[in-house]
Amino acid sequence: SQVLDRAIALALDQDQDRLSRVYQLKALLLIDLKRYEEAIPAIDLSIMNAAGATEKAKALSVKADILSQIGKLEEALEIIHEAIQKDPNRGRFYLFAATIYQQRGELEEARDILERGLENLLELGERFDTPRLYGALLTVLVQLGEIDDAKFLAPDAEASGLSREKLRRILGRNPL
């Protein structure tokens, strides 16, 4: 903690985003130690000091993670949606929101957020998170019993980089 406090003091002399990242690092370390309640003030300082929308969105996603870890799923959803508004081009934000919806048994909402995220990323030509979003969406479609829709999307999912093995696991007894 003393090392982080010194890093914070040094960051104060630098730019705001650097200070935000130091507070975010402190929060992440506290999360690793499962000291979630202590991580909240650190991440709040990170959010407060983030100068840009992208940096603020990253910090918001960390806060959403903390809240989900302590069972505050409704608050976590509100925060991750705020992160999505600030930076709609991060696939992991959509995946995180969908995971919370799935935990709450809200599969239609999980499907909707994944479809929205996939649409955004495909418009951008973003390739990194696209296979993961396809995989999550196919899983939700199978859980909803929408097998025909899942089969219809499977070729696009494979073309995005989702492996045939992963597709088979997701579709299970419902081969292509």
Side-chain angles (χ1 to χ4, degrees), residues 102-143:
Q102 285 176 294
Q103 289 172 348
R104 293 169 38 140
E106 299 172 11
L107 296 177
E108 290 85 6
E109 287 81 359
R111 178 194 57 218
D112 292 346
I113 195 77
L114 289 166
E115 287 174 344
R116 195 170 100 211
L118 197 52
E119 195 175 293
N120 283 350
L121 295 184
L122 290 172
E123 280 180 25
L124 284 171
E126 211 288 346
R127 305 290 296 165
F128 181 72
D129 284 330
T130 305
R132 292 174 38 208
L133 282 171
Y134 268 119
L137 179 56
L138 290 172
T139 299
V140 169
L141 289 172
V142 169
Q143 290 171 340

Side-chain angles (χ1 to χ4, degrees), residues 2-63:
Q2 291 175 349
V3 172
L4 281 174
D5 290 338
R6 284 193 10 219
I8 290 168
L10 288 172
L12 281 170
D13 293 333
Q14 305 293 320
D15 61 68
Q16 262 192 297
D17 273 343
R18 185 173 299 202
L19 180 61
S20 175
R21 286 190 292 274
V22 171
Y23 281 123
Q24 196 174 127
L25 177 61
K26 181 176 183 177
L28 291 169
L29 290 171
L30 290 166
I31 291 168
D32 283 346
L33 296 171
K34 302 199 182 318
R35 292 165 49 185
Y36 304 113
E37 295 296 335
E38 293 175 62
I40 291 173
I43 202 60
D44 284 341
L45 285 168
S46 176
I47 293 166
M48 185 177 74
N49 286 289
T54 299
E55 200 60 40
K56 189 168 288 228
K58 287 180 194 174
L60 286 165
S61 75
V62 172
K63 183 169 185 176

